[in-house]
Amino acid sequence: MAINRTSSHGEWSSRTAFILAATGSAVGLGNIWKFPYITGENGGGAFVIIYILCVIFIGIPIMLAEVYLGKRGRLNPIASIKYISDKEKRSKNWRIIGFMGILSGILILSYYAVIAGWTMAYSVRTAFGNLNNIDATGAAAMFESLVSDPERLLAWHTIFIIITAIVVAKGVKSGLESAVVRLMPALLVLLLALVIFSAIEGEFYDGLRFMLYPDFSQITWKSVLIAMGQAFFSLSLGMGALMVYGSYLSSDISIPQTCVIVALLDTTVALLAGLAIFPIVISSGLEMSQGPGLIFQTLTVAFASMPGGQLFGTIFFILLIFAAWTSSISLIEPMIIWLIEKYNVTRIKAATIATSFAWFLGIGTIVSFNIGKDIKIFNMTIFEMLDYLTSNILLPMGGILITIFVGWLISKEHIDSELKIKSKIIKLIWYFSARVIAPIAVIFVMLNALGFNINFFL
Ligand code: TRP
């Protein structure tokens, strides 16, 4: 039977509050900035299909497992896993999942804050009309002038880290719920409006075709790994963020339905972002595979030619800042809770230490777009390396360990009493996905993409 432990950090006021917070964590730059540009780099339709399959067969089962761990452990990720392994008489070394997660969160936040800084810079530029009447060449030059200036990037990065620090210092639940309730629907409406604009003004048919028509000749194992990594990244999986949010969940709530809703919302936002962006990329002659600058250049061209674009664009970028903000909070919350519980420091102190660390690491990403462009590790810039290491290695590895731990090493009746799945069939599907499909798929994709010859084993 589940023991009704509660978190010493309080509880969500309702199931909806949890859904909102988890959606706030999931929906962020990953959906609107990263999904379109990596889809552009990886050939479109086939990549999107693989991404969606990864969300369904790998993402959702792991999400359930992760929320389960938090809901049962009720502590920071390391201590929760240690508590559960004690109870289940398993090795306490499974705590490594928690350590890896805290590290991944900080590494991701370090570059996430830099990109969120670009969003802030763009909202100011749009508000002041700097982008009016700009064309594709102008938009490219404007983007280049921003990222080539390390001081400006550092200033925005610092501001973003400070606003993140302020919220986490106050405690995640106060404020977060109400912010998400108001801002998420607004972001969705604006995104829909953008899709409509793009349908009227852009090459909608070609954009849609690019995004939906599967051309599997474009796909390599590396792109499958990137799609899978994106599923982890976009759903905020593999690092303990949802474990911490799950630990604030009251014990009588059923997990699966909530997780499916979050995954559905997250995927909808990503697909809408793609639908808004690709038609404009094509109609304005921009490059599909240009990388991290894609949405900034595309959207500025769109806002420049749209009636009321200045106002609309400003609001859009501001909402994007908020989306990034609610995500960045969840990236750092595991480390904060860990510092508070383990070292008995105040929340303010924990927030200061954790965000300072992320701020400092962020300098690596800042210089990788300008003065440090030529610093290459495994042929990647510092930003590319951090992104690759976290999304494609650390998060999937965390995910494998989580599903193996939950799927195989925890007694069934405990899982059943926490997950509260009523339907027998769904229960069966979940066990099969968490025990077999998800771990095997992740291991298979990682081995292939990292260059091991799978044929050797077959
Ligand atoms: N999911 C967020 C996005 O799409 C980023 C994010 C927040 C995240 N918390 C996370 C990614 C935890 C991985 C793990 O923008």
Side-chain angles (χ1 to χ4, degrees):
M1 274 314 291
I3 306 159
N4 285 342
R5 282 154 61 80
T6 47
S7 165
S8 56
H9 310 282
E11 255 176 30
W12 301 113
S13 53
S14 63
R15 187 178 89 125
T16 319
F18 171 78
I19 295 182
L20 285 170
T23 311
S25 163
V27 174
L29 296 173
N31 309 61
I32 293 171
W33 159 74
K34 197 172 174 196
F35 177 76
Y37 94 74
I38 58 174
T39 302
E41 284 178 338
N42 288 282
F47 181 83
V48 175
I49 291 178
I50 297 171
Y51 171 73
I52 294 175
L53 292 176
C54 288
V55 168
I56 299 173
F57 291 106
I58 301 175
I60 295 178
I62 295 183
M63 201 165 172
L64 259 66
E66 205 174 317
V67 178
Y68 161 79
L69 288 175
K71 190 171 170 229
R72 179 163 173 203
R74 301 278 182 202
L75 294 164
N76 71 72
I78 300 172
S80 284
I81 293 174
K82 180 166 174 296
Y83 166 82
I84 297 169
S85 11
D86 279 351
K87 290 273 165 208
E88 298 283 340
K89 309 212 169 19
R90 302 290 173 186
S91 156
K92 62 176 192 292
N93 290 338
W94 286 98
R95 282 180 307 174
I96 184 93
I97 301 173
F99 281 109
M100 270 171 45
I102 288 175
L103 177 71
S104 324
I106 290 291
L107 291 177
I108 296 175
L109 181 61
S110 81
Y111 71 80
Y112 203 83
V114 175
I115 313 296
W118 298 358
T119 313
M120 296 178 115
Y122 268 79
S123 60
V124 173
R125 290 172 173 200
T126 317
F128 285 100
N130 295 14
L131 306 178
N132 293 349
N133 305 320
I134 211 165
D135 58 5
T137 330
M142 158 113 23
F143 179 72
E144 196 42 44
S145 85
L146 173 69
V147 297
S148 60
D149 182 349
E151 285 166 26
R152 198 174 294 187
L153 294 188
L154 184 65
W156 287 118
H157 169 61
T158 309
I159 295 174
F160 187 79
I161 289 279
I162 290 174
I163 61 170
T164 303
I166 291 175
V167 183
V168 282
K170 282 172 75 179
V172 165
K173 281 175 271 49
S174 58
L176 185 63
E177 279 178 31
S178 52
V180 176
V181 168
R182 292 184 182 86
L183 300 172
M184 285 291 161
L187 186 66
L188 210 62
V189 170
L190 247 59
L191 213 48
L192 275 172
L194 256 181
V195 174
I196 293 170
F197 172 80
S198 152
I200 299 168
E201 290 288 318
E203 297 287 340
F204 197 66
Y205 175 74
D206 288 342
L208 200 63
R209 191 183 144 82
F210 175 77
M211 205 172 125
L212 299 180
Y213 181 77
D215 173 4
F216 282 95
S217 69
Q218 302 265 352
I219 295 291
T220 59
W221 278 110
K222 189 171 170 205
S223 31
V224 180
L225 179 65
I226 294 174
M228 186 176 84
Q230 173 65 8
F232 278 94
F233 187 90
S234 194
L235 296 172
S236 303
L237 294 179
M239 55 106 8
L242 290 180
M243 242 183 258
V244 170
Y245 281 11
S247 76
Y248 307 146
L249 202 54
S250 86
S251 57
D252 53 338
I253 284 170
S254 134
I255 302 175
Q257 220 184 350
T258 22
C259 289
V260 172
I261 296 174
V262 174
L264 214 66
L265 285 170
D266 186 66
T267 309
T268 310
V269 174
L271 294 177
L272 284 178
L275 278 183
I277 284 167
F278 295 124
I280 302 170
V281 176
I282 297 173
S283 65
S284 54
L286 286 161
E287 194 61 50
M288 273 299 176
S289 58
Q290 62 181 278
L294 182 70
I295 68 149
F296 294 97
Q297 302 187 30
T298 312
L299 289 179
T300 28
V301 173
F303 295 140
S305 61
M306 186 186 284
Q310 186 173 347
L311 179 66
F312 189 82
T314 312
I315 300 174
F316 183 84
F317 281 123
I318 290 176
L319 287 172
L320 196 51
I321 300 171
F322 278 100
W325 195 13
T326 52
S327 298
S328 62
I329 292 167
S330 78
L331 284 165
I332 203 158
E333 185 68 6
M335 179 162 182
I336 305 241
I337 295 285
W338 174 66
L339 288 173
I340 296 176
E341 288 176 355
K342 169 109 184 167
Y343 298 103
N344 213 1
V345 293
T346 59
R347 202 170 233 288
I348 295 182
K349 199 161 175 192
T352 315
I353 296 170
T355 49
S356 308
F357 198 37
W359 175 84
F360 180 72
L361 286 174
I363 296 172
T365 294
I366 290 177
V367 298
S368 72
F369 289 98
N370 38 67
I371 46 179
K373 234 190 224 149
D374 299 324
I375 305 174
K376 295 271 168 84
I377 308 158
F378 295 118
N379 218 8
M380 291 180 267
T381 64
I382 301 174
F383 159 70
E384 288 164 346
M385 205 269 306
L386 280 173
D387 179 33
Y388 195 86
L389 174 72
T390 49
S391 304
N392 301 343
I393 297 177
L394 288 174
L395 299 179
M397 263 172 42
I400 301 174
L401 295 176
I402 289 170
T403 45
I404 294 181
F405 183 59
V406 175
W408 293 96
L409 302 179
I410 289 182
S411 50
K412 252 183 147 174
E413 62 270 28
H414 252 111
I415 298 186
D416 290 347
S417 67
E418 291 283 4
L419 284 186
K420 298 191 194 304
I421 306 180
K422 285 182 205 89
S423 143
K424 272 218 168 91
I425 298 177
I426 296 189
K427 211 184 269 182
L428 216 70
I429 296 178
W430 182 76
Y431 273 110
F432 188 63
S433 316
R435 288 188 157 175
V436 184
I437 303 180
I440 291 182
V442 177
I443 292 171
F444 190 80
V445 173
M446 282 184 84
L447 286 178
N448 259 312
L450 300 175
F452 291 88
N453 191 349
I454 287 292
N455 292 333
F456 183 76
F457 298 101
L458 297 177

